[in-house]
Amino acid sequence: MRAWLRNTAGGLPRTYWYLWSGMLINRVGAFAMLIMSVYLTDERGASVSLAGLVVGGYGIGGVAGTLLGGVLADHWGRRATLFWAHTVAAALMAALAFAHHLAVIAVLTVLLGIVHSMPMPAFVAAIVDVVPAERRSRAFNLQFWSFNLGMAAAGLLAGVLAQVSYLVLFLADAGATAVTAIVIAWKVPETFRRRDAASTNGGLLTALTDRTYLVFVGLTLLLAVLSTQTSTIMPLAMLSDGLSPAAYGTVVAISAALIVVGQLFVPPLIDGRRKHTVLAAALLLIGVGFGALAFADHLAVYLIAAVIWTIGSMLAAPPNAEVNAELAPEELRGRYQSVFALTFPAAAFLTPALGGLSLERLGDWHWIVVGALGVAAAGGHLLTGPARDREAGRRARPARELERVAG
């Protein structure tokens, strides 16, 4: 057991563990927004449509915050971006706890969307800064595990605290965010090696015109569209099959439990294998899992399908993040991370917008289309992966040369 723990988590620098701890605390404490729509309708008397509009504002703010966080991570530095984003978020959440007017709540929600999304590009950029290339797969595997563990804990806490008091819920969320800011200020040094200002010329435009990178981001968008089926379209399909919300909760809980228990065992399975082949296998599993829902009429089939696509998601997480890190130039790492991170809010919009229409018009054939997207994404990784790996190696050479000279 001790040897397994060393193999899974050993060799990672101390700064990484402080970043990891900050992310875990942040995720565990991020429970207020999970039930924001319930709070607005139950406590503030908002209509369902108005509550949806306010919560949608959080998503719009998230798009802006993701891009802003990437730019600031490369301009201010990772530590400053992380500290101020969490500090402002804690203050805004505390203000939200005492806000009563819906207009004020709506404005605060948009602002929270911005500051809640700012840290992720800086977190990932800092991890890439401090973790050697040969250890990044394990670092990202642990990051994915902590994110899901934190979200599972947040979901449980949200329900418990909402029954106690919404005021307590918002203030506890603010407190957890403030603790993350303290951990960053106390233990996380600045990891960004500042260089000549000319090295950042082009900014976001460089990332947005990088063809190799954009092809990879496009394949990641397909992965995100597949993954968000579980929270958007699958509940509708289960309802049409006569299954209860409790059945949906069981499927989600089994998937989350599998990630929490199994993610730590992923590194031995993928170490030494080509990243594009692992990604292809992962996308194929995800596609097969969702495609199987075309034949699902009973809870047991949904559970089996969930196990299949969850294993695929577990395999995909480390190499996907690793490729993203390899393609990003060091001086533009934050900006590249922000472009990558945009795939998730984009999928959160595209999946319900197009998926609902697809399910309504195609019925069970919707899941065949979704499965085909997974197969197409797997083929895309097989076709573009070798060239992408060569390009990543070419981009890594200057950094290795600088490290050799510095050493």
Side-chain angles (χ1 to χ4, degrees), residues 146-305:
S146 70
F147 180 88
N148 283 279
L149 178 63
M151 287 298 292
L156 292 173
L157 287 170
V160 172
L161 291 176
Q163 289 183 329
V164 175
S165 163
Y166 283 112
L167 176 64
V168 171
L169 181 141
F170 285 118
L171 291 178
D173 191 314
T177 306
V179 169
T180 304
I182 291 169
V183 169
I184 291 163
W186 184 28
K187 291 294 186 179
V188 177
E190 179 52 64
T191 64
F192 182 45
R193 295 182 294 184
R194 298 182 184 277
R195 293 192 190 168
D196 188 306
S199 65
T200 61
N201 283 347
L204 277 173
L205 186 60
T206 301
L208 293 171
T209 54
D210 185 334
R211 291 185 182 181
T212 301
Y213 188 68
L214 290 181
V215 169
F216 170 69
V217 169
L219 292 171
T220 301
L221 177 60
L222 291 180
L223 171 61
V225 166
L226 291 168
S227 300
T228 50
Q229 298 289 325
T230 56
S231 59
T232 55
I233 307 304
M234 191 181 74
L236 300 175
M238 295 184 73
L239 185 63
S240 69
D241 285 334
L243 296 170
S244 68
Y248 170 70
T250 301
V251 173
V252 173
I254 289 295
S255 179
L258 182 58
I259 290 174
V260 170
V261 173
Q263 190 68 47
L264 295 178
F265 296 91
V266 167
L269 297 176
I270 64 175
D271 280 354
R273 303 183 187 277
R274 292 181 180 274
K275 287 183 280 292
H276 66 271
T277 58
V278 174
L279 285 168
L283 266 298
L284 185 61
L285 283 171
I286 295 171
V288 168
F290 282 110
L293 296 187
F295 311 99
D297 294 316
H298 302 286
L299 177 58
V301 182
Y302 278 96
L303 290 172
I304 292 169

Side-chain angles (χ1 to χ4, degrees), residues 74-101:
D74 290 336
H75 181 68
W76 275 0
R78 324 309 193 203
R79 182 175 184 268
T81 302
L82 290 169
F83 174 75
W84 286 111
H86 283 93
T87 300
V88 174
L92 289 172
M93 188 60 74
L96 189 60
F98 297 101
H100 298 285
H101 297 290

